[in-house]
Amino acid sequence: MVMALPYNSTMKRALQQFFGSIVIIILFSLILDAAPMQLLSPEETLKTLDAIKPYAIRIGHGPKEVHSFIDPYCELSQMYLKFVYEREDTMLEKYTIYLYLYELPSKHSAAMIETLLESDMPETMLKAVMLSHEDIPQEHTGDAEDAVEAIARSAEKIGVFKRPYIIINGKVK
Amino acid sequence: MYTGLPYCGVVKKMIRYRNVVLAIAGLLILWASFTAQHRISLQDQLLWINGSSAYNTLIREKYPAYCVEKIDVDLSGNAWSPQTVEQLRDFERQLRSVEGVKEIHSLFESKQVVNHKLSEAQQMVEVTSLRDVNNSEVYETLRSVPPEYAKYFDGTRATFYIMSSKPAQFDDLTLSMPYEITNGISDENFNEVIIFIILLVILVVAYTFIFKSLLPSILGALFIYATGVLTVAIFELISSVSVTHISILLVAMTISVMDFTYIYYKWHVLQKQFSSHDVIYRVIIKTITPIFWTSIITMVGIGSLAFVDSHILYSIGMNVLLSAVTGFVLSFTMLPALLSFFSIKNPSVIKDPAHYFATREAHYHKQALKIFMIASLVVFGYALYSYLSKPITVESSINNHQIKAVLDRKGFDHEQLMELRWIEQELHEAFSGVKRVTSAYSMIRSIYETEHPETPFVLRQEEIDSYLFSIDLYGLKDSLMDHGALGLYIDLDENQSKTEVLRFLKDKGLIFQDRSSLLSLAKIESIATLWYVVFFVLFLIMAVVYTMTRLYVFALIALFVNAIPLVWFFSAIHFFNIPLSTEILVAMIVTVALSSDATLHFIHYYHDNRHKPRNAELALESSFLYVGMPLGMGNIILALTFASLIFVPVEMIFNIGLYSSLLIVLSLLTDIFILPVLFLWGIKANRAIKDYDHTI
């Protein structure tokens, strides 16, 4: 009986550690497997987006607002923009689309983003880069740094994990 | 000439002024011949659709109707290659250029939802089609015959569904591969004059053969032409329906054939006994009562269809009504006036079988009659059970496996998407033969499930703008909405009864757009109306027979005799699952008209004869002589005429010929073998009937 007690408590502790680890592993893998979630509520998201609206490239003049985080070098963001302009009669009439240029690390588009944000004709330039794939000189003065940072901060807050990341009524599509 | 007898003065005057009567009739016929536009059509689909409640709703809500046509291109002779793809693409271009074509559903237009996932950070769903994809890529995509394209491509066949605002003409298409068009609207062209020539030839031959004289052939042709052309002219003058279906005209002419046969036969057989003018008087007096009452039944009974919105039923009702009126008027004006110019010295007819039938039927087997009546009751029970348990199928067109409809409210909101969801769910639950329902709901669900394969789709009110954005972004609005309302396409399995699905959907508040469905719905609607008309006519026959005889037994006999052919016919329709068509409708109307005609004539003569010192058998023989003979002649002539239409190479005319001739024979057999026997069974021993000779 005297010998059995320390043995049992060691076993108990080992078992506890073992099952605890399993639970942690399961939870961790669930978190990894699950689709990244939007971190803010729709209301908070809209509030956050309000703050960066001035930095967005705005297209269209419709009553419904659509917010999209895109990378100018991301193929799927380009496809998204192509769809919008293919049906511009409807899209620009019905929606006001706020395009937030947010770099995908793998695309190394930071300089181009700044160039576009500093441009006097950002929409035209955006179309030239994303739709016509024109080779535009990347000239930027650093004036857009605040904008880039603000967009990045808001994107992280909201939980933007992919491009294009489209938000309608505060909810990711 | 008789004097002091009823209507004698009128008949005398008519004969005296027969030239005036004939001149007026001639002028009217001339007017009708030149006025009638002869807008006679072999095409019945628009007549069915126009005026039906489903079509009226479509018009009221200002939605367009579409003809859905299907073209199958046979690819079995060609190896699948980019060149074949190019040929199919070119074929689709040609189809688009056809006048009236609004939309094409094909392998090039089939929408597929694809999830582009370049990395965790780059994802987007695209709704794509093969329209802008190059031929080599299309060839590669379809080489493995992917199931998502099964509706349009199965490796050996490419299918194109064409939605057009009017029946499209595909005459100028060029394609090296064989293809088959199955369209909703028949393009059969056949000169209707040939049908009337057939009718005329059979009438002339039959009358000449029966009466051994050319006179009835000439007078018959003239009388039937006069009735027909006046009916058409007056119909065109007063009706808003611009065309007359050929079968309707045939029904109208059937009525005049019988009127002529009764009158001429009577005139012919009385030639030996009376002078020319006395014969006219006797003919009029003897035939006016039954012809008057049969005309009343036809006018009020079948003519009641003229108050129905459906153009086809309205046309039948109006034409039959007008034919009955003109037939009655001409029977007692123009026809006697014409006959008064002629006399036949040695009138003869083919061997009179009246005596044979009367003596044979006088010794009928009571057991056999009982068995027949019980069998008819069983058949009636079967017909009733079938009608209530299994809806009658309706024929619309060969391309019968697609339904196009829109919701009854315009707009795009959560409630409407939910409605689409319930319709889709209920359809799949109720019918295993519903292959696919394509709608905004199904597309939104498909986009969501492709984007989030791990999460079940739930339609959410707060996501409605997001759904609409997807529809706009992928340019799906035109294919999923029509004039601002959410639409849906339902694809049915070939074995699925469309009638059942349409009956189910009718209560869901949908507005149907494809003509094939509108046609089916119009026919479904007509079935109920036809039931009412049949019951009304049967009731009317009973009422008229009772008015004529004041005997309930006769009224019951009339009911049995008129109901029997219809009951057997309806059971056959259910038993063989024959779809309802204009041809069947026409056959039924012909049967009702002929059957009531025969019943009234027979009952009138038999009842009249029993008041004379004649026993039942003698009265029956006399009735057979004066009614059975023309009844048999008229029915056989009509059966032969309709049977001859079987040789016309147009499916619809073939069917009219087949169904009508079969039903006429059925009706004749009932009138010849059942009606007289019922007299003996129900009347002979009924001593309660005063003034009858009850000698047994």
Side-chain angles (χ1 to χ4, degrees), chain B residues 361 602 620 624 670-680:
Chain B
E361 288 185 19
F602 233 121
L620 198 62
F624 260 112
T670 319
D671 292 332
I672 297 288
F673 294 106
I674 306 298
L675 181 65
V677 171
L678 284 175
F679 289 160
L680 298 178

Side-chain angles (χ1 to χ4, degrees), chain B residues 174-230:
Chain B
T174 50
L175 182 68
S176 61
M177 291 170 276
Y179 62 87
E180 188 188 5
I181 304 172
T182 47
N183 49 9
I185 302 290
S186 154
D187 57 353
E188 288 169 317
N189 283 314
F190 187 78
N191 191 349
E192 64 276 1
V193 174
I194 294 175
I195 294 165
F196 293 113
I197 290 172
I198 293 173
L199 182 80
L200 187 72
V201 168
I202 297 214
L203 283 176
V204 168
V205 171
Y207 280 131
T208 312
F209 173 73
I210 292 166
F211 294 104
K212 297 177 176 142
S213 162
L214 261 177
L215 183 67
S217 308
I218 297 161
L219 293 183
L222 182 66
F223 180 78
I224 292 158
Y225 171 75
T227 316
V229 80
L230 277 167

Side-chain angles (χ1 to χ4, degrees), chain B residues 199 202-203 206-207 210-211 224 250-251 253-262 265 294 350 357 561-562 565 587-602 624 626-644 656-673 675:
Chain B
L199 182 80
I202 297 214
L203 283 176
Y207 280 131
I210 292 166
F211 294 104
I224 292 158
L250 287 173
V251 178
M253 290 173 79
T254 302
I255 295 164
S256 56
V257 166
M258 290 313 292
D259 283 350
F260 175 78
T261 310
Y262 282 120
Y265 177 82
T294 52
I350 54 165
F357 276 113
V561 172
N562 284 281
M588 278 179 62
I589 300 288
V590 167
T591 312
V592 171
L594 290 182
S595 188
S596 63
D597 222 26
T599 312
L600 255 70
H601 277 90
F602 233 121
F624 260 112
Y626 287 107
V627 179
M629 278 295 284
L631 168 77
M633 284 173 195
N635 275 277
I636 289 168
I637 289 170
L638 285 172
L640 279 173
T641 309
F642 279 105
S644 69
I656 291 176
L658 181 71
Y659 293 133
S660 300
S661 54
L662 279 175
L663 263 164
I664 290 167
V665 170
L666 190 63
S667 162
L668 177 65
L669 292 176
T670 319
D671 292 332
I672 297 288
F673 294 106
L675 181 65

Side-chain angles (χ1 to χ4, degrees), chain B residues 13 106-107 114 174 205 289 333 338 401 414 442 465 505 555 560 563 566 577 584 596 685:
Chain B
K13 273 185 188 151
S106 68
L107 60 95
V114 184
T174 50
V205 171
T289 309
T333 51
L338 275 172
H401 310 303
H414 181 254
S442 68
D465 284 340
L505 288 172
F560 285 142
L566 293 174
N577 204 22
I584 287 177
S596 63

Side-chain angles (χ1 to χ4, degrees), chain B residues 347-499:
Chain B
S348 62
V349 287
I350 54 165
K351 197 182 171 192
D352 176 11
H355 179 69
Y356 173 81
F357 276 113
T359 48
R360 299 285 291 211
E361 288 185 19
H363 303 100
Y364 72 100
H365 292 285
K366 281 184 181 166
Q367 206 63 23
L369 180 69
K370 267 185 196 165
I371 290 169
F372 177 78
M373 295 305 278
I374 290 168
S376 294
L377 268 175
V378 171
V379 167
F380 176 68
Y382 168 77
L384 200 65
Y385 171 76
S386 304
Y387 178 72
L388 295 175
S389 61
K390 191 182 80 180
I392 191 167
T393 51
V394 293
E395 189 178 79
S396 57
S397 68
I398 306 159
N399 173 26
N400 213 16
H401 310 303
Q402 201 170 46
I403 298 169
K404 180 171 162 53
V406 287
L407 295 182
D408 59 351
R409 269 190 314 115
K410 293 193 182 204
F412 184 104
D413 59 32
H414 181 254
E415 202 182 320
Q416 283 165 307
L417 287 173
M418 282 302 278
E419 201 176 328
L420 288 175
R421 185 201 149 180
W422 287 120
I423 290 171
E424 181 176 337
Q425 192 176 323
E426 285 178 30
L427 269 174
H428 283 301
E429 280 169 8
F431 304 101
S432 57
V434 172
K435 281 203 288 194
R436 192 181 300 107
V437 180
T438 311
S439 68
Y441 169 75
S442 68
M443 187 50 82
I444 288 165
R445 189 188 58 205
S446 180
I447 293 171
Y448 184 87
E449 285 173 351
T450 311
E451 207 165 11
H452 309 284
E454 70 288 346
T455 327
F457 174 64
V458 181
L459 195 65
R460 295 182 200 281
Q461 170 103 49
E462 63 271 20
E463 302 273 352
I464 204 78
D465 284 340
S466 175
Y467 303 146
L468 188 56
F469 181 75
S470 294
I471 302 277
D472 287 332
L473 185 69
Y474 302 123
L476 301 172
K477 205 165 181 183
D478 287 347
S479 58
L480 299 174
M481 295 183 84
D482 199 331
H483 289 66
L486 288 171
L488 68 167
Y489 293 95
I490 300 159
D491 286 297
L492 306 176
D493 203 75
E494 287 190 8
N495 301 320
Q496 174 63 53
S497 156
K498 190 175 179 179
T499 315

